Amino acid sequence: MSVALVTLGCTRNEVDSEELAGRLAEDGFQLVADAEDADTVVVNTCGFVEAAKKDSIDTLLEAADLKTAGRPQAVVAVGCLAERYGKDLAASLPEADAVLGFDDYPDIAARLRSIVAGETHHAHTPQDRRKLLPITPVERGASVDDISVPGLGGPRAVRRRLDASPMAPLKLASGCDRRCSFCAIPSFRGSFVSRRPNDVLGEAVWLAGEGVKELFLVSENSTSYGKDLGDLRLLETLLPELAAVEGIERVRVSYLQPAETRPGLVEAIATTPGVAPYFDLSFQHASAPVLRRMRRFGDPESFLGLLDQVRTHAPAAGVRSNVIVGFPGETEADLETLCDFLVAARLDVTGVFGYSDEDGTEAATYDEKLDDDEIRDRTEHVVSLVEELNAQRAEDRIGETVDVLVESVDDEVVGRAAHQGPEVDGSTYLVRASAHVTVGDLVRADVVASEGVDLYAEESA
């Protein structure tokens, strides 16, 4: 039986898809790239914000439309949208033959076979997955194998790569213990659970053997790694070990909580050989009153102090962030504080999101909501500002020497410098690159021009 996996959303979903692919291949399924060639299409959905939910549903409907031609025989929803809405999604989307939750992952092959055979699968009733594990992080270790935490709990999966990219995400942890008022992720991803270092290192060695050159460490909150294993500074210890794996050229850490980003971790990321001096700092806003309503911590002074720490260790470090505009109660003064901070911060890339209510979140119950037109106007204003600021930051890099991981050599030689994370931080184009350059090479180059957040560089002599 053949199966095509379609992955939407974040890099954490990419890891889940490759682990599902490993389980399926180990159980006799043939993995195919095209849904039209598959007996079963599995769509790994995203349930983060409204746009992502719509994209997931549209993808499921497109796959279901293919069934009229005889292939595929079944379309199955998995992932965060499926876990978050369960039976409600199944009832509202009869075009999907089944909606599977995280607890179905360990037995995914048997589930798909039964669905193709025409058996009815009853979608789960969503629950708050934070309640499945003890509240105290250090008590979770003995319990995590009793539930299905994607990439962590249940029988260990044999991961199967779904592309030949020289970059691969590597999951550090799953879930989140924070209670940001705008975010529903902890309720369906569960409490924070770290993977054990030996498991992370073992997978890193395997990925290197698969031709991976850059490891992209992913989780919902990488700054919490190790707290449930009794060592909150475990990431500082793990980074040099990962960088020393034979074949790995670069290690990159994603998603750092500013309030938890300690000086030792800043130094480790900024100065460890083989680790990209790259800081994915989730500021979300800069106004202290707005951040308090978000159930977060910080203000312009503390955030700029953190950036000073980063740049003291690594002046050319890459810094990206996301901000939410139009949060309930946000005043014109709050917006001005945010804009002033963004000007002072000199970030490489800033994602800007207009606020929208998310089911089950505290913020959805707040008063002082801004109307949609006001949120749209404020968002457009901040987007315009950060586009200019990010372009200026890229222009500042003209004259720098960067190490570019080559990802494509088709019409152009394209890759990413150390300050550019996968997919969302722009690219570096190698002009007049040597004929011998191939995908996966790490090429030293001098930046000669910029366009937006993209760089143009010439191979160093």
Side-chain angles (χ1 to χ4, degrees):
M1 188 177 294
S2 59
V3 59
L5 284 131
V6 180
T7 306
L8 304 172
C10 65
T11 48
R12 296 180 288 281
N13 260 15
E14 292 178 24
V15 178
D16 292 348
S17 286
E18 292 194 348
E19 292 188 344
L20 289 173
R23 285 190 168 107
L24 290 166
E26 198 173 45
D27 211 332
F29 276 77
Q30 177 189 0
L31 302 174
V32 297
D34 197 327
E36 295 181 1
D37 299 327
D39 297 310
T40 306
V41 177
V42 176
V43 180
N44 192 351
T45 61
C46 179
F48 181 40
V49 293
E50 284 305 317
K53 296 175 195 174
K54 182 180 184 303
D55 190 25
S56 294
I57 291 171
D58 288 346
T59 302
L60 286 162
L61 292 173
E62 289 169 6
D65 286 343
L66 296 175
K67 290 194 293 183
T68 57
R71 298 268 308 261
Q73 299 174 50
V75 174
V76 177
V78 300
C80 291
L81 189 71
E83 175 65 35
R84 185 175 181 183
Y85 293 103
K87 64 179 184 178
D88 292 337
L89 178 63
S92 63
L93 195 68
E95 293 86 353
D97 297 281
V99 174
L100 304 183
F102 295 155
D103 291 332
D104 293 301
Y105 283 19
D107 300 312
I108 186 67
R111 296 286 189 274
L112 294 192
R113 286 196 173 94
S114 68
I115 292 161
V116 172
E119 298 177 20
T120 300
H121 176 82
H122 297 286
H124 70 288
T125 299
Q127 60 180 318
D128 188 338
R129 294 187 69 87
R130 291 171 293 189
K131 298 178 180 179
L132 298 180
L133 289 170
I135 293 176
T136 305
V138 294
E139 295 177 354
R140 292 176 191 158
S143 305
V144 69
D145 288 333
D146 298 332
I147 66 167
S148 181
V149 179
L152 298 171
R156 294 296 178 211
V158 179
R159 182 172 172 181
R160 179 68 64 92
R161 296 217 68 203
L162 294 174
D163 63 40
S165 169
M167 181 283 301
L170 176 56
K171 189 173 289 188
L172 278 177
S174 185
C176 184
D177 286 342
R178 299 188 72 88
R179 296 295 181 264
C180 301
S181 63
F182 56 82
C183 183
I185 289 175
S187 66
F188 56 85
R189 277 287 181 178
S191 298
F192 185 88
V193 180
S194 302
R195 292 184 71 190
R196 298 193 176 277
N198 284 346
D199 291 339
V200 178
L201 282 167
E203 190 167 328
V205 171
W206 178 80
L207 288 168
E210 293 288 304
V212 170
K213 300 298 183 182
E214 178 177 312
L215 301 174
F216 188 39
L217 306 184
V218 298
S219 72
E220 278 74 26
N221 179 8
S222 297
T223 38
S224 283
Y225 179 70
K227 72 175 185 179
D228 50 325
L229 301 177
D231 186 357
L232 189 54
R233 291 174 173 79
L234 196 55
L235 185 54
E236 289 96 307
T237 304
L238 183 60
L239 284 174
E241 295 184 68
L242 289 169
V245 171
E246 186 175 354
I248 297 301
E249 300 282 357
R250 189 157 70 195
V251 178
R252 184 184 305 275
V253 184
S254 74
Y255 211 82
L256 304 171
Q257 284 283 354
E260 297 180 31
T261 304
R262 51 203 173 270
L265 181 58
V266 170
E267 183 175 2
I269 294 174
T271 65
T272 301
V275 175
Y278 172 84
F279 292 81
D280 177 12
L281 293 163
S282 174
F283 290 123
Q284 301 299 356
H285 211 281
S287 165
V290 173
L291 288 165
R292 283 196 293 273
R293 287 194 292 274
M294 289 180 169
R295 301 283 185 203
R296 296 176 69 89
F297 304 94
D299 51 45
E301 291 73 24
S302 63
F303 290 166
L304 291 173
L306 176 57
L307 292 175
D308 283 344
Q309 287 182 44
V310 167
R311 288 163 178 157
T312 296
H313 289 293
V319 185
R320 81 169 326 272
S321 191
N322 297 307
V323 297
I324 297 173
V325 179
F327 193 77
E330 181 190 70
T331 65
E332 291 284 354
D334 293 326
L335 184 65
E336 185 176 352
T337 297
L338 172 61
C339 292
D340 289 345
F341 165 72
L342 292 171
V343 171
R346 296 173 58 246
L347 306 178
D348 289 276
V349 176
T350 311
V352 182
F353 297 88
Y355 172 80
S356 61
D357 287 339
E358 277 296 309
D359 296 338
T361 61
E362 180 183 350
T365 69
Y366 284 179
D367 296 327
E368 299 184 84
K369 298 276 179 65
L370 280 66
D371 63 47
D372 291 343
D373 288 343
E374 180 64 22
I375 292 174
R376 183 167 52 253
D377 289 346
R378 292 187 182 194
T379 302
E380 289 174 355
H381 172 71
V382 178
V383 166
S384 178
L385 173 64
V386 300
E387 284 179 350
E388 180 180 352
L389 293 172
N390 294 164
Q392 289 175 1
R393 182 73 185 107
E395 187 175 356
D396 290 343
R397 292 190 180 275
I398 295 174
E400 284 186 10
T401 299
V402 295
D403 291 319
V404 182
L405 179 68
V406 177
E407 296 183 308
S408 171
V409 293
D410 296 330
D411 297 330
E412 299 176 286
V413 179
V414 188
R416 290 177 295 104
H419 72 279
Q420 295 171 319
E423 298 183 2
V424 293
D425 291 347
S427 300
T428 297
Y429 295 81
L430 290 176
V431 295
R432 294 190 293 278
S434 303
H436 67 271
V437 171
T438 61
V439 171
D441 286 348
L442 197 65
V443 178
R444 177 145 288 196
D446 303 313
V447 180
V448 296
S450 67
E451 182 177 356
V453 296
D454 295 330
L455 300 181
Y456 294 83
E458 296 180 350
E459 194 171 353
S460 300

